Every structure is written in C-alpha cells, then in structure tokens.
C-alpha cells in the first residue's frame, strides 16, 4: 500500500558497518585464530516440508515458508561470521519472475557471503539471467532446479560455493553446512578512561583483501581498495576518542608513492596513525615512502612483498611502533593491537540544541553519541521528558520514518500502553492524536487511511473535506491542562497538506493554552514516485515528469509550506516558544539515481532553510544523524535507538531554559534500551513474535525487519555508571549463589545492551551475567552476589558501578483494547477523577468515482472490458487495477452448504445463518467457512431459491423488501474469525423485471476497489462516504443467469443478447474478516435473487510476458473457457499457466485447462507442452474434459504400459477421468485412453458419463482438440 515507504531492496543493501563481536587478547603481531561454528541451510519443496531455514551451530537464525528463493546476507567481520549472522534477508518469488532477484544480486559487492534456500518451489520463472547471477556465488547445480525441488547454497560473490545441494521433489530436504570462523569473541566492557584494545587487520588479495581498523573490537573503518590505507586517530591529550578516526586516506602504492609521502610529511609530531594494506601495496612503494612510514616506528615495511598483509599502529616521532605485523601471501591475515586509553565522553561540554542547526555529525559508540563537535547532548529519562513536555502539543508530519519517530516518543513516555500487538494498527491511520498523563495514554483519536475523507490526501482537491474532518475529529479531544502531553501525527508524504494542518492547529480552541511545536520530515516520496516509479505512489504527475520538473515541484510545494510555517514558528507565533523542526530525509545506503535523488532533495531542504532557520525554526539533519549510526537503519528506516537519540536532540531544542555551558545537566552520556529487540543489530523475526505472526497471517513476503525492530515495547534508560569486566569478562560466566537459568533470567532479553539496561533500571543491581548463546540475562545484587567466574563461551560477567538516571513514574490503572485494522479502538482510563470512556472509531470514506474510468487511491472503481473473445481489459488512464493474482481463492463450487436457515426462514432447520463449509479449501493449513447472517428482517420470495447453485451462492428476496447481510469468514473447526489479506467477491445477475419492476440494488461497504466493465448496465452511486450501491437498469430472465463466474459472457435469452459481465460488479477486500451489504428489491409481486461468487472474469488481465507468448495462433485451439491461444499463452489470465486469481502453484483448485498452443512447444512454466507444474502436480484440479480425436490416441506401447495401472486406479476412485491428478503433462494426458473407446459411445455434443471396459469416463466436448 501507499502508506509504507518500502524502498527498493536492490538499492538499499545495508553496508556492513559496525560488527557486534569484539576483540580481546594480548598485544601481539600474529593473526588471531577465532573459534569455529557451522553455518547451515535447509531447503524443502512443497511436498517435503516447504521451508527454507538458516542456522548457526544448529540454532535457528531465520525460517520462511514463503514461495520462492530466499537470500540472506551474512554479517561478517573480516573472514569471521558474527553470532547475529543475518544482516538482511529477502525472498524472491521466482515462480512469478526473476527481475528483482537479478537486480538485488547485482547490487551486492564482491566478497559478500550469502545463504540461499528454496521453499515451496522456485523454478518456473527463474530465468537464465537469474541463474547466471546465482552462479556468481559459486553455484553449479542451479540450472538443474525443477518444480518443487529443494535447493541450498552457501556462497561468496566472486568465489566458490562453500556448500551446495539440490534435491528433487519427494526426495526429502536439501541440507548443507560449512564450517566458519567466528568473529572475535564478545568485547571486553568499555570503561571510559581505561585501557582498551585498538587493532588493525590487513589481508592481501589471496587472504581476504581487506584493511580494517577497530577500537575495542568495534569496527571503525574497513576498505578493500588496493594499496596502503592510513587513518589519523582522533585524540584528546593521550586519550583516544571513541570516534577515533579523524581522517582516512587510501594510497595506491601499486602505482606510485608521491601522494603518500606528501600526506605523511604534513602530519605533526605526535600524530597517531593506523596503517593497513589491502590487495597489494608493495610494487611502487618507494624508498622515500618507506622512510616516511618508519618515522611512525615501523620496522618491517622494507620486507613488504606482492599481496602481503601489513598492519601498523604508530605515533609520528616515536622510535618504535605500538604494534606492527607482516604476513606474506597465503599465510592468512595479520592482526595487530595495542592498548590505548579512551577519553571519557562525560567530561565533554554540553552541545547547544536550541540553535538554528544542532550538531549531529559523529558516531554512536558504546551507547554514546560521540560528536565531531566535541560536545555531548543532555540526556533525559522518562520523568525528565514528561516534565519538560507537560502542557505541550507536538504536531508531526511526514511518512513512515516520521511515524516511527512518533511511535518511539509515545513509547518512551508511556511504554506500557504500546504493546507489540498494537503496532500494526498504527499503519492504518492517516492521523493519530494521543494525550499522555502520568505515563499513561488517556485519550486516542484517529482517522484511517482508507475509507475516510482523507483517503485521497495526495490529491489537492481532497484537502478541503479532509481538513474539515480533521478539525471535527480534534474537537472531541479532552481539553488542555498543564499536565497533559498531546502528540498528533499526520501521515503526510508530500508538502501540500502542511499549510492547512497549521491552520487547524492555530484555530483549535481547546488547546489554545498549550505550547506548540511542529516536527516535519518530507521528501522521500517525491523520489520514490519520480525515480523509482513506485506503484504505491498516488501522484501520477510525479511519475511522468522529468527529475528536474519533480525537483521544481518539490521546491514549490515546500516553499509554500515553509512560508506558511515561518510566522507560526517565529517568536510570538503559535509555535514561537518551543519552535519548529524541519528535517532532512532519513539516512539510507541507496545508490544510483534513487540515492542521488534523496541527496538532491536534502540539499534543497538545506538551501530553503538557510535564509529561514533560527533558534525557533530549526533544521535537523536526520540524514547525517543516521549516518552516525548506520547500523541502526534497515531499508531506509531507523530503529528505536535512532529515534531515541533524535528525540534527545529535539527535546533539548524545546527546552527554553537551556543555557550555554549549563552545569545542571546530569553527566549521563549513555542511553540504552531494554526490550527483546530495540536495535537494528538485533532485528530478527524470532525476537518480535507478535509482528511476525501478524505479517505471516497477512502476507509473509512483506515481513520486514525494519518493522520488526520497531514493533516490540522498549524502555530507555540513561546512565553515567560504568560496567567493569570481572576476571576479564569475555567468555566468563558469573558464578552466583543461584545459577543462571531460564527460570532465574530476566524474561524477554535477547542482547547485552538490554541486559545492561535492566541492571540500570534496577537500583539495587551490582552487575550482570549474560549468555549470548541462550539469550539469558542475570542480575546480581547484595542477595545474589558473585563469588567467582567460570569459563563459558559466549558469556560475559560485568560489575556495575554508578547510579541509574532512570526513575519509575507513578502510573494509574489503564486498559487499552485494540482491534485489527478498520475496527473500533476503546481506551478506558481510570484517574483520580471519574473514569472516562473514549470510543475511537475508524471513519471510512471514499472519493467520488466514475464507472467509466479508473481512479487512483485505495478505494476506486475500474472498468474492465471482458468477453470470451480476445478483447483486452481497460483500466482507465491513471493507475492500473490490481491483477487480483494474489487473492485468496473463494470457491463455492467445491463448498458445502451445511446451514441454510437465514434469519430462521429455512428451508432447513438449525442456526439462523447460511454456512458454506470449505468455501476456502486451505488457508494457513485449515479450511475456511463463509457464514452469512441477516442483521435485519429477511423476507424471501421463494425460500428454496436461497442456497447454493453450482458455482454461485444465492439469496431469494421478496419484492418490495430489503435485507441487511453480514458476510464473515471463520475457521471450520473453531469458528474463529479469519482475517484475509486480500480476496475478491462478485455480485452478478443484477437485473430487473419487465417495465422496470422489481429493480435490484446491492449496497456494499468496506471494500478497497470495485470493478465494472466498460459499457456496464449498472447504476453506480455513492450512498454514504463509506458505502456504494450498484443497481439494475436492464430487464433479465432466468435464461441469462451466469453459470460460471469466470465465464461471464454474452448469451442469448428470449431473443435478446445479454452480456453477463455488464450486469456484474467485482469488489476487492483487503485485510478483513467480514463485510456488510444490503440487498433491495423494488415493488413487485415477484422477488429477485442476489447472486454471488468469488473471483470472476471481471479481473483485469495482467501484462503478458512476451517471452512466454504463444507463437502458434491457430484458432482451433482453446482453453476450457473458449479463449483462443493466440491471445492466451496458456490460460485465460495471461501468459502463465496458473490459477485464476493466484500464482500459488500447486495449491487449491484450478478453474481452467491450459492451452497447448498449436499442439507444439510453448515455454510456459518450463514444460514443452505449455502446461505448468501448477496444473500437473496438484491433486485438487478440475478434471480435463475433452473429446479426444483418434489420431491423438496413437501413442507408443511403452508409454501406454507405463501409465496404464495408475490410470486404472484413478478411474476406479473417481467418476471422472482426471489425468492431472497423476502428475501428467497435457501431452501425456492425451494418452490416457490407452485403447480407443467406440465413437458411438458419445454422440457429438453429449454431456454424460459412460462405462467402458470397467472404467467410468466423462468426456465433455468443451475443449476442441486438433491433431
């Protein structure tokens, strides 16, 4: 949808910047030999388990059942694998196409290690280009991949595969493993002012090709550039700053040394440097250059050879180096380290936050933001934040990143009121308005994105009605008091709406006494629309214009907004006290045109603010702040850690009491978060089970780690205390009076930082023991004291010294009950006053649509031209309609109507409902029922007309009456509501009697889109902002009733030609388990039928894949619906042989038979007869119905003999001969009548079953087959 800023995965591969495992050993010049672990991949096709899983030493890192090929980037430091080994993971459905996979693999750098595994199947649209890219990672078996094969690979781009396996269907799982070095063991606790290790690693081309610099094991800088890299170390006196790299340059000494000599000459005496060689640095390294290097204490440089590794830590003017190492080619990498004193960040002066542009350039190191400006920001705990914001109203505008920043602040202020179960719901809102008192949310109002007057907020013509709706909604907010904090978030991805948001705030009387601040970050979506042509973009003009024109548009709209904000944000204005913040875009590693566009728009923001910025109209460079902690960003979205630091800076700017060089501030300089996953470094779907369960229910292939890392409840703490290692700390477990176990550990803690935060929160904590292998965090105090430590890999024992800066707020009892999207949220809060109950309802609405053209937005109409001929669908002139390929399959034909007693009217006894059992055969492993109930009085014309008719459900309604109906989907076994991600529902046969009597009208609400054909015969009207009606305009009779929803076509009825498609409407529903409809019949003594089904032939056709087009256009070939092969390569939906509405290969019923174009070869789905594996391998497909010509039965004796027995068994078990259940291709299916039945058995055009030679056959002439 358009409300999530999903950046192109191929452009946003995260740089492998800050390693989690850290170095601890004695000063030496020899290479360090880390421990070994087994990295493994398991893959199973559909029949063998349908899962791809990645493991480290048997412990699950990631698993998915999503169809296709899953690729995981392995997080490494040098050649060592980190314990949190998955840096990024992406699944590509190569049953649909390979373009995204190719782009993604192309973007990965040489040397990148990946894990690849198949779930379900990955073969059928995996192109040669895709296989070539996989082979770049050393693969040798990928070209043998078949339908539902298991495939597993551990490979390195540009190198050989470390392990690879391929197992075909029915043979079990493909499993591979490779023994890997572990990155250096957990870091020794950093104590500012103490001695820690600074290290240099160097590897020549054959041994890893990298130069890397680290402080206390944490990566400072790494490069693979050829030559000698020199880094100048930032120091205060003799102490090294945590942001230790002041300057870094690489000199290609394979070409010359003059630049290196000049650079080293300019450095002052006493300058500390780190030097490391990558690839090779020897061959043009002159004597004068070696002399200059020796000025830093080097003694080995003259022994440098081709592709040697060389590492140096030295100080200019010292006679000997602090550490130096040399390793020749083939001997491995060289690692040297020296102990250095670390400067204490707490001693830095406070930064000025209330300035035109606060300083943000630096690095996040050891939970401290170390700024190049040499200062630190005052940190605030929850109580300090709340007291500083009391009586304030913060108004935020932006896209998904700003929504995450909003969510972070709300969680920091009221952590118990934002459980992870509620996280998905925030994404359904255009506006969220909350009030926080005493650490609890006491009021919440929202306006939904979909089906509300603000649904088309991207269209300027909708601003007026949205503005009115926002103002009316905010009028119901509890009035201002000086103890309340109000935060309002507007999901505005473009600048256009900002001016009227300012108007609404300024005119709000209920909070006229509050101090107001605006926080705005807008820009990303201009790039996504213009450069990426992102399908979720709702501004087509940006898609179609040049980049220059888009930048001009961005500037024009931004300047209008800034001009409106400037007086408001100036002293004396509505926000003149706290001020306003205009932000640049979020940091991302996007490259190419998209990354250039991001940076260009950020530059435009800076230019626009240059003449406007002041202490109350501030510019905050979110991009540069994100660059200070790139490991806290995934797919262009920051973590709670990033948002927490952003708020500390912004709150400092809101503090009007701040004085330059203030001494009242606490010395706390570290901020930690306590929770299962608060940092991007710990993002793992196993650590956010509620979000993982949610997205797996909706659409597993959109489970995003950046959503995961922001979904769990986290509390922040600040501290000026220090953790000291006990007995060296690393790989030592504390021995306490009570052993650390699952029973004694702090629950829900998955990382060391959160364990430290738990200790800081507990004022009696004296230290921690953390087991990184089993995710166990133990706290020790005066009762549970540490007696000693024992050796234990992956554990660390730390002593804590210092007072915690966090205090616990007093809270009142509160209950928040939230429901899934589009439902009502009730917040009940009890305070010292009378308890109040606030109902927050989603307000659905829609924009005015036309039945003749398609419109953009999430609720729109689309016209589609459909017939049984080769006519193409039309979708208007703006955004094409969804192809309905991934809708859940609703199949009335194979369902059973077990309850048929709507409103107690019969014709059967039992519950007052209609229950279609198994209308969805298999969803998440269980059958789903459709239950229809009447929520108003129901009168039938002929109650026996209410029921199941073939492929349709129908309800008889008396003339002059109406009935309100609720359609809901439930599990067959438990009756539990089932939220479906996307499904289509069609109402057909909307007609009336003679002379306009008994006209039919169906009113529906809650859908995302509706589809009618061009020239339709319906009266389409908007009843309310949430409801549409579709009424009859033409006479109809029983003989024109449709028989198949996928064959809505023109028929003859009583001398008239009736197009069934023109009297039908198809609706698309998303993320819901139910919907409401009303069926009305005009006055008449006769009644009418409400006829309904699932997906229909109104579904717009998808763009064909030209590589799979049918080249033989013989018109005497057709599929089950009469569609000709010259248009339909293999099925009436397009060029692929796949079910209608799905590409879920091999699952559920199919509704068509593929064309075998011209009887010859056709490349669809990798079969030489044009039949895809989804057809031949499913056990639920409809039987082939054909009149077989004699010439097609003349097949080889061997083929007949091989298939005879299985065919006989199948024929005995079924009334129909169903060759597809036997795993046959279409060509093979034609041999199934292994001896010719007499033609007299079936008169031409007959539609009956016949027994012949002990077998039952159903030969229906709906497929015309030519030799």
């Amino acid at each position: 949808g358009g409300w999530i800023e999903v950046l192109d995965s191929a452009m946003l591969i995260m740089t492998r910047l800050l390693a989690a495992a850290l170095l601890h050993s004695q000063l030496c010049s020899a290479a360090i030999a880390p421990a070994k672990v087994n990295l493994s991949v398991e893959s199973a096709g559909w029949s063998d388990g349908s899962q791809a899983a990645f493991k480290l030493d048997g412990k699950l890192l990631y698993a998915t059942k999503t169809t296709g090929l899953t690729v995981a980037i392995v997080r490494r430091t040098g050649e060592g694998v980190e314990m949190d080994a998955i840096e990024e993971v992406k699944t590509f459905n190569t049953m649909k196409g390979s373009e995204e996979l190719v782009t993604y693999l192309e973007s990965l750098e040489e040397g990148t290690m990946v894990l690849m595994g198949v779930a379900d199947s990955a073969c059928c649209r995996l192109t040669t280009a895709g296989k070539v890219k996989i082979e770049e990672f050393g693969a040798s078996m990928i070209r043998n991949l078949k339908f539902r094969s298991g495939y597993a690979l551990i490979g390195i781009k540009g190198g050989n595969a470390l392990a690879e396996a391929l197992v075909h269907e029915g043979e079990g799982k493909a499993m591979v493993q490779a023994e890997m070095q572990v990155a250096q063991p957990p870091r020794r606790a950093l104590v500012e002012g103490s001695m820690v290790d600074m290290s240099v690693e160097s590897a020549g081309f054959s041994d890893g090709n990298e130069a890397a610099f680290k402080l206390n094991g944490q990566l400072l800088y790494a490069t693979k550039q050829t030559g000698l890299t020199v880094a100048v170390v930032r120091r205060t006196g003799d102490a090294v700053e945590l942001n230790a790299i002041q300057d870094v340059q690489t000199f290609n000494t394979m070409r010359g040394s003059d630049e290196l000599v000049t650079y080293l000459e300019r450095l002052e005496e006493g300058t500390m440097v780190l030097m490391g060689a990558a690839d090779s640095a020897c061959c043009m390294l002159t004597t004068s250059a070696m002399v200059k290097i020796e000025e830093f204490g080097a003694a080995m440089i003259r022994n440098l050879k081709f592709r040697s590794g060389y590492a140096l830590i030295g100080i200019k003017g010292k006679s000997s180096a602090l550490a130096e190492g040399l390793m020749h080619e083939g001997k491995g990498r060289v690692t040297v380290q020296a102990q250095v004193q670390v400067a204490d960040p707490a001693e830095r002066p406070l930064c000025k936050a209330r300035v035109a542009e606060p300083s943000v350039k630096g690095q996040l190191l050891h939970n401290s933001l170390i700024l190049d400006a040499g200062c630190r920001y005052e940190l605030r705990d929850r109580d300090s934040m709340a007291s500083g914001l009391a009586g304030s109203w913060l108004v935020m505008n932006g896209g998904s990143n700003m929504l995450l920043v909003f969510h972070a602040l709300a969680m920091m202020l009221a952590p118990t009121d934002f459980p992870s179960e509620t996280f998905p719901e925030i994404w359904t809102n255009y506006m969220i308005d909350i009030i926080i008192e005493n650490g609890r949310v006491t009021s919440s109002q929202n306006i939904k994105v979909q089906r509300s007057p603000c649904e088309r907020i991207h269209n300027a013509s909708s601003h007026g009605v949205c503005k009115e709706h926002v103002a009316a909604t905010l009028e119901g907010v509890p009035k201002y008091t000086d103890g309340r904090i109000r935060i309002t978030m507007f999901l505005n991805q473009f600048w256009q709406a900002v001016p009227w948001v300012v108007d609404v705030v300024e005119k709000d009387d209920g909070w006229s006494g509050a101090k107001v601040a605006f926080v705005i970050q807008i820009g990303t979506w201009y790039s996504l629309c213009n450069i990426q042509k992102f399908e979720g973009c709702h501004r087509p003009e940006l898609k179609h214009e040049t980049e220059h024109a888009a930048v001009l548009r961005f500037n024009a709209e931004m300047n209008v907004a800034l001009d409106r904000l400037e007086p408001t944000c100036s002293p004396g204005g509505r926000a003149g006290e706290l001020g306003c913040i205009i932000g640049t875009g979020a940091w991302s590693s996007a490259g190419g045109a998209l990354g250039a566009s991001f940076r260009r728009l950020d530059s435009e923001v800076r230019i626009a603010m240059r003449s406007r910025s002041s202490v109350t109209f501030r510019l905050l460079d979110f991009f540069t702040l994100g660059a200070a902690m790139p490991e806290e960003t995934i797919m262009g979205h920051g973590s709670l850690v990033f948002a927490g630091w952003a708020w500390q800076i912004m709150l400092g700017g809101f503090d009007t009491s701040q004085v330059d060089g203030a001494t009242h501030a606490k010395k706390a300089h570290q901020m930690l978060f306590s929770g299962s996953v608060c940092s991007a470094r710990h993002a793992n779907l196993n650590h956010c089970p509620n979000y993982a369960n949610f997205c797996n229910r909706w659409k597993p292939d959109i489970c995003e780690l950046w959503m995961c890392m922001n979904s769990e409840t986290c509390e922040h703490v600040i501290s000026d205390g220090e953790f000291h290692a006990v007995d060296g700390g690393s790989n030592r477990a504390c021995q306490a009076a009570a052993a650390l176990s699952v029973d004694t550990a702090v629950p829900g803690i998955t990382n060391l930082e959160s364990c430290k935060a738990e200790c800081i929160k507990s004022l009696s904590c004296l230290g921690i023991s953390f087991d990184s292998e089993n995710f166990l965090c133990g706290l020790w105090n005066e009762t549970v004291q540490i007696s000693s430590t024992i050796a234990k890999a992956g554990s660390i024992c730390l002593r804590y010294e210092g007072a915690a800066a966090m205090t616990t707020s007093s809270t009142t009892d509160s209950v928040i009950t939230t429901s899934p999207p589009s439902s009502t949220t009730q917040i009940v809060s009890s305070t010292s006053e009378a308890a109040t109950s606030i109902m927050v309802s989603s307000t659905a609405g829609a924009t005015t649509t036309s039945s003749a053209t398609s419109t953009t937005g999430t609720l729109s109409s689309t016209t589609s031209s459909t017939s049984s001929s080769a006519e193409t669908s039309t979708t208007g002139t703006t955004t094409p309609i969804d192809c309905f390929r991934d809708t859940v399959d609703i199949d009335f034909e194979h369902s059973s109507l077990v309850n048929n007693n709507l409103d107690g009217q019969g014709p059967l006894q039992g519950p007052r409902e209609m229950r279609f059992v198994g209308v969805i055969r298999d969803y998440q492993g269980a059958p789903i029922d459709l239950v229809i109930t009447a929520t108003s009085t129901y009168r039938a014309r002929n109650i026996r007309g209410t029921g199941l008719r073939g492929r349709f459900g129908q309800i008889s309604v008396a003339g002059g009456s109406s009935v309100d109906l609720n359609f809901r989907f439930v599990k067959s076994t438990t009756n539990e509501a089932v939220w479906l991600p996307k499904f289509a529902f069609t109402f057909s046969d909307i007609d009336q009697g003679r002379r306009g009597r008994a006209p039919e009208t169906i009113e529906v609400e809650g859908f995302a889109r509706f589809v009618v054909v061009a020239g339709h015969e319906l009266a389409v009207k908007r009843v309310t902002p949430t409801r549409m009606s579709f009424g009859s305009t033409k006479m109809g009779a029983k003989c024109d009733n449709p028989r198949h929803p996928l064959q809505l076509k023109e028929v003859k009825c009583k001398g008239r030609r009736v197009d069934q498609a023109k009297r039908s409407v198809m609706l698309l529903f998303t993320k819901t388990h139910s919907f409401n409809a009303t069926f009305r019949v005009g006055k008449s003594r006769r009644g009418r039928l409400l006829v309904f089904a699932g997906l229909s032939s109104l579904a717009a056709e998808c763009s064909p894949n030209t590589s799979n087009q049918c080249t033989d256009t013989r018109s005497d070939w057709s599929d089950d619906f009469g569609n000709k092969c010259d248009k339909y390569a293999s099925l009436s939906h397009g060029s692929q042989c796949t079910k209608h509405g799905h590409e879920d290969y091999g699952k559920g019923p199919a509704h068509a038979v593929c064309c075998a174009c011209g009887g010859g070869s056709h490349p669809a789905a990798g079969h030489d007869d044009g039949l895809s594996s989804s057809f031949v391998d499913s056990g639920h497909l409809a039987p082939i119905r054909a009149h077989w010509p004699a010439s097609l039965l003349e097949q080889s004796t061997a083929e007949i003999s091989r298939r005879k027995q299985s065919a006989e068994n199948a024929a005995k078990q079924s009334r129909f001969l169903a060759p597809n259940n036997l795993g046959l291709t279409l060509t093979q299916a034609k041999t199934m009548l292994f001896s010719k039945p007499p033609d007299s058995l079936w008169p031409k055009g007959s539609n009956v079953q016949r027994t012949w030679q002990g077998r039952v056959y159903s030969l229906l002439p709906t497929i015309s087959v030519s030799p």
Side-chain angles (χ1 to χ4, degrees), residues 397-398 430 454-464 466-467 490-504 520-523 525-526 529 537-542 545 550 552-562 564-565:
N397 287 262
Y430 165 67
C454 296
E455 180 179 30
R456 300 193 62 185
I457 189 61
H458 308 308
N459 189 329
S461 62
S462 301
H463 288 182
C466 180
K467 178 181 178 180
F490 291 91
L491 194 66
N492 285 324
Q493 295 154 341
F494 304 96
W495 286 101
Q496 296 168 302
V498 172
W500 66 255
V501 169
V502 179
D503 293 342
V504 170
I520 301 171
Q521 181 195 47
I522 294 175
W525 273 83
Y526 288 86
C529 292
C537 174
H538 298 300
R539 293 190 64 181
E541 69 275 16
L542 280 167
E545 63 192 9
L552 292 178
R553 185 185 298 275
F554 172 83
N555 269 317
E557 294 173 0
M558 174 180 62
N559 282 305
V560 169
L562 295 181
R564 175 64 185 87
L565 280 162

